[in-house]
Amino acid sequence: MIKRLICLIALLILAACGSDPQAVGELPTVAQLPTATDTPLPSPTPIASWTPTESETPTPTALLTETATVTPSATITDTPSPTPTDTPTLTPEPRAVNSLLELAMQATVLPQQVIAAPTQPFDDSGLPTVVGPVSCPFPPPGGFNPIFNSDPNLIQQIGCPQGDPPTGLNAEAAWQEFEGGFMLWLQGPVYVLYNGGRFRRFEDTYDPETDPPSGGETPPTGRLEPVRGFGKVWRENPNVRQGLGWAYSGESGLQAVYQPFDRGLMLALPQRTQIIIIAAEEASGASGSWRSLVGSY
């Protein structure tokens, strides 16, 4: 650079020597040329561009404020507190009592006492008649007498005992227990005694020479299909099968003592210490109500 300045000055001097004397006065303007040379060396000052990193630092602070939103977790501690207060109110005592009652009911051999609804007496035409208080000429025999006298409704339900005087009759009987009641064979007719206190009577038409002993049914576990006379009534009458269900055990033979009445009968089963009262609601005696009492003839 210095050499170039020297050459420029020399050229200017030579030019001045060959030009007019008046032009010499303009030389000072050329001397200002060095001012036009900007010193580019200080240009490295833009190194200060590292300072913008400080402006970027505030941005991470927003992330810290978002983490503070975790505070609602305190509400979780309140929810489980009310639930434990309800659990102490549950007591297992009713369940234990109920289970004992169920076991007691299953253990009973005799059916529950069923109170028959009062029925109107009827005449030979089968039409009900209205009668006032009546008395029988003879009381029922044996153990039937105290039961008959203790219930004034019985005379309206079954009438008076038949016979002059009435005497208890011995008979062969068969008994079988079902899910929905019992079946009773009394030396001829078959009585279907439902648990609800109703009964149906069927004639025993079973013939071992022509009728099969069973229908080949497949009962559920712990149940039996009735056979012979009971099985025939059970299979041929859908209402009986539906009302009784399957048998709990096989039929058993019994000795019975019974007393016919005007509209029913009283039956004693000594082996079961049980007295059954059957009250018919029609002249044919094919249906009506029944109940069972603990007693003997």
Side-chain angles (χ1 to χ4, degrees):
M1 293 296 294
I2 297 173
K3 292 180 179 180
R4 290 180 181 178
L5 290 176
I6 295 172
C7 290
L8 288 174
I9 294 171
L11 291 175
L12 290 174
I13 294 172
L14 292 175
C17 292
S19 63
D20 294 337
Q22 296 177 354
V24 178
E26 298 177 356
L27 291 174
T29 59
V30 179
Q32 297 177 357
L33 291 174
T35 59
T37 59
D38 296 333
T39 58
L41 294 175
S43 60
T45 56
I47 296 173
S49 60
W50 292 96
T51 55
T53 56
E54 298 178 356
S55 62
E56 297 175 356
T57 54
T59 56
T61 58
L63 297 175
L64 297 176
T65 57
E66 293 178 358
T67 57
T69 59
V70 183
T71 54
S73 61
T75 58
I76 298 174
T77 58
D78 298 333
T79 54
S81 58
T83 54
T85 58
D86 296 335
T87 53
T89 59
L90 298 176
T91 58
E93 296 181 358
R95 295 182 180 177
V97 174
N98 291 336
S99 61
L100 290 175
L101 291 175
E102 292 178 358
L103 290 175
M105 293 176 66
Q106 294 176 0
T108 55
V109 177
L110 297 178
Q112 296 180 355
Q113 179 177 347
V114 180
I115 304 300
T119 58
Q120 292 181 335
F122 45 82
D123 54 23
D124 294 337
S125 65
L127 298 176
T129 59
V130 179
V131 297
V134 295
S135 60
C136 298
F138 297 100
F144 300 144
N145 188 17
I147 294 176
F148 186 81
N149 291 329
S150 64
D151 188 355
N153 292 323
L154 277 179
I155 195 171
Q156 299 295 331
Q157 295 172 4
I158 62 177
C160 293
Q162 296 177 352
D164 186 16
T167 57
L169 303 176
N170 295 320
E172 297 290 334
W175 179 271
Q176 188 168 13
E177 184 178 359
F178 289 77
E179 294 173 332
F182 307 89
M183 293 188 81
L184 169 67
W185 176 79
L186 186 61
Q187 206 165 357
V190 174
Y191 290 89
V192 177
L193 309 176
Y194 297 107
N195 285 340
R198 305 293 299 174
F199 85 86
R200 289 287 309 277
R201 192 188 74 177
F202 299 88
E203 296 300 326
D204 183 14
T205 61
Y206 174 74
D207 185 356
E209 299 294 332
T210 59
D211 295 325
S214 68
E217 303 282 348
T218 304
T221 304
R223 301 293 186 268
L224 299 174
E225 175 196 0
V227 297
R228 294 184 290 275
F230 286 166
K232 185 176 181 179
V233 173
W234 185 78
R235 290 190 304 271
E236 293 182 351
N237 297 274
N239 291 334
V240 173
R241 178 170 181 170
Q242 182 178 2
L244 289 180
W246 299 94
Y248 280 127
S249 59
E251 64 180 76
S252 57
L254 302 173
Q255 292 293 325
V257 179
Y258 72 97
Q259 172 61 51
F261 284 74
D262 293 335
R263 295 179 297 277
L265 59 87
M266 294 183 74
L267 172 70
L269 301 176
Q271 293 91 333
R272 298 178 59 87
T273 62
Q274 184 177 4
I275 291 180
I276 297 174
I277 301 172
I278 295 177
E281 295 178 354
E282 54 189 17
S284 63
S287 64
S289 59
W290 77 283
R291 59 173 166 164
S292 174
L293 301 173
V294 178
S296 60
Y297 181 75

